[in-house]
Amino acid sequence: MITETIDWIHSYKANGRRPDKERMQALLTELGNPQKQVPCIHVVGTNGKGSTTAYLQALFSACGYRCGTFTSPYITCFNERMAIDGRPISNDELEELCQAIKPHLEKLEERYGRLTEFELVTALMFCYFAKEKPDLAIIEAGIGGLHDATNCFRAQAVVCPSISFDHTETLGDSLAQIAEQKVGVLDEGVPVIFGAFQKEARAVFYAKARDTHSPTFELGKDFQLRRQEQTFDFSYHDFALENIQLAMAGRHQQDNAALAIMTTLVLTEKFPKLKPENYLGALKTVQVKGRTEWLLDNLVIDGAHNEGGIKSLRNWLTSQYSNQSVAILFAGLRRKPLESLLELLAGYDVSVTSFSFFEAEQLDNYPDSYPRVAHFEEWFQRAKADPSTLYVMTGSLYFISEVRERFLKQEKS
């Protein structure tokens, strides 16, 4: 039964990625405006949304709040896209939600056309949270922000970890245009917490914040982090949190965690149970599947699927493994600028492969200069046979999802 339900949801994928805020708002009105029934944080940005969401959820949950999350894409199963305190929606609950929403779709689609899959899933998520009533929900935007299906509620705060190039066919081909789409979710007076951006993106955020009279909290300007070898310190005015340890590696993860900490400080008045003494224990347990996740002692997977993600991966490898042999296996989607992404990994031993997703780039279409790996499972065996080399599997999160599933099945058999 759950397979049929998820197949029904995926049947809307054929309608593409075209956003329609009027259609989305009409659907939510038909459903009784569930998006207005639970306070939410909106997480936008190019990279780091999933990790920042996970850090936020860990902090709120550790302080006694029931905290919902909405993320995409999923790595293990569809249900994990909507969760409360890290527990995905059950099959029964998902089936009930789908049955409840179906009667509303026919009437809506006569006037506005058929939904996209993301619109449908977003509506299901808001209905789930309205029914379960967590104390807070953290909503990760899909693509962009201004025209995204999630841009239908007034947030408690907007958080943006990064701005870089991705989905340029939809969001624009300059950092300023992309930033306009991301910060387009900002409403009057809503605080915005954001990372250290390049000049043109930063200017867009400040201009929008002035228009909406929104308080701004910029990493490196309003709050600081000081990096140690394995930990970091956070400071904001007279508040300090020291020796913060994370399970996920990389400077970008420290930045994401710092944004989450700053967001809790901004919202403490509205959520008075937030206590920083709970933060160290909560943060060091956070691991997002498919983000610098270790499958073996020398095999790591990371969904670095765009320019910003590849640069973060490269920076981590440079800082931590400059004296070790590193072999990288990459697979991406055909709609991405794969050749330019691969060029960012110049200097490493890079091979390419493919996987069984309908948008995956076919192996023969990669540049001839990169060795081809017909079956990515070879990397599992190479890593086991060569413990002196660090093996990295990266690219599309859909690729990482398939890799992770295949690896775990092999280990169990």
Side-chain angles (χ1 to χ4, degrees), residues 295-296 298-301 326-330 349-353 371-386 389-394 399 403 407 410:
L295 300 184
L296 297 169
N298 65 327
L299 174 62
V300 65
I301 56 175
V326 176
I328 298 174
L329 183 63
F330 178 92
D349 176 10
V350 180
S351 301
V352 294
T353 191
R372 292 173 168 82
V373 175
H375 305 287
F376 65 74
E377 293 91 343
E378 290 179 28
W379 230 244
F380 307 156
Q381 305 311 317
R382 291 191 193 184
K384 291 177 180 178
D386 181 16
T389 297
L390 173 63
Y391 287 83
V392 180
M393 305 178 77
T394 191
F399 171 54
V403 166
F407 178 84
Q410 282 195 12

Side-chain angles (χ1 to χ4, degrees), residues 8 13 19 21 54 56 88 108 154 194 227 256 262 313 317 346 366 384 396 410 413:
W8 174 74
K13 188 182 290 290
K21 284 184 67 176
L56 281 165
L108 178 92
R154 177 181 171 81
F194 55 99
R227 305 182 200 275
N256 296 338
M262 187 68 244
L313 173 63
L317 292 172
Y366 281 98
K384 291 177 180 178
S396 167
Q410 282 195 12
S413 61

Side-chain angles (χ1 to χ4, degrees), residues 117-390:
E117 181 183 12
F118 190 72
E119 288 171 335
L120 174 59
V121 176
T122 300
L124 290 169
M125 172 271 297
F126 280 124
C127 289
Y128 177 56
F129 291 149
K131 175 177 175 288
E132 293 297 317
K133 294 194 168 31
D135 299 307
L136 173 76
I138 304 160
I139 310 300
E140 181 187 320
I143 296 176
L146 178 60
H147 301 293
D148 192 67
T150 61
N151 187 22
C152 55
F153 65 93
R154 177 181 171 81
Q156 302 294 306
V158 171
V159 187
C160 184
S162 68
I163 299 290
S164 63
F165 292 102
D166 199 10
H167 303 294
T168 53
E169 73 287 352
T170 300
L171 304 181
D173 55 9
S174 73
L175 290 178
Q177 289 174 321
I178 294 169
E180 285 176 4
Q181 293 295 315
K182 307 294 186 183
V183 79
V185 303
L186 194 61
D187 291 320
E188 184 76 18
V190 174
V192 55
I193 302 95
F194 55 99
F197 298 162
Q198 291 179 288
K199 182 178 178 180
E200 54 266 50
R202 182 176 184 267
V204 169
F205 265 63
Y206 276 105
K208 177 66 174 182
R210 285 193 297 270
D211 290 344
T212 58
H213 306 98
S214 295
T216 56
F217 302 88
E218 179 188 359
L219 175 60
K221 175 179 176 291
D222 301 294
F223 60 104
Q224 314 290 331
L225 60 80
R226 186 165 62 93
R227 305 182 200 275
Q228 316 294 337
E229 193 160 321
Q230 300 296 332
T231 64
F232 71 99
D233 301 336
F234 172 97
S235 61
Y236 171 68
H237 296 332
D238 59 351
F239 174 85
L241 195 63
E242 298 179 339
N243 295 318
I244 303 167
Q245 185 177 0
L246 303 177
M248 291 190 288
R251 289 189 167 202
H252 58 294
Q253 292 297 351
Q254 294 180 345
D255 292 350
N256 296 338
L259 289 169
I261 295 168
M262 187 68 244
T263 304
T264 67
L265 299 181
V266 171
L267 295 179
T268 296
E269 189 173 327
K270 293 183 178 181
F271 297 90
K273 291 194 296 184
L274 287 167
K275 302 296 181 186
E277 55 263 34
N278 297 324
Y279 289 4
L280 292 180
L283 290 172
K284 72 179 182 181
T285 66
V286 176
Q287 174 67 64
V288 181
K289 296 170 184 174
R291 275 76 162 187
T292 52
E293 181 183 8
W294 294 92
L295 300 184
L296 297 169
D297 289 343
N298 65 327
L299 174 62
V300 65
I301 56 175
D302 186 65
H305 58 280
N306 54 33
E307 179 184 318
I310 293 287
K311 286 181 176 178
S312 292
L313 173 63
R314 186 187 64 195
N315 290 341
W316 173 60
L317 292 172
T318 300
S319 65
Q320 298 296 317
Y321 299 97
S322 58
N323 296 321
Q324 185 171 350
S325 175
V326 176
I328 298 174
L329 183 63
F330 178 92
L333 303 183
R334 58 175 176 265
R335 54 182 163 83
K336 300 281 187 174
L338 300 184
E339 190 164 355
S340 62
L341 294 181
L342 285 164
E343 287 172 358
L344 293 173
L345 295 170
Y348 288 104
D349 176 10
V350 180
S351 301
V352 294
T353 191
S354 191
F355 58 109
S356 60
F357 185 64
F358 74 102
E359 287 189 279
E361 180 62 280
Q362 297 303 302
L363 197 53
D364 289 344
N365 292 335
Y366 281 98
D368 291 336
S369 55
Y370 295 97
R372 292 173 168 82
V373 175
H375 305 287
F376 65 74
E377 293 91 343
E378 290 179 28
W379 230 244
F380 307 156
Q381 305 311 317
R382 291 191 193 184
K384 291 177 180 178
D386 181 16
S388 64
T389 297
L390 173 63

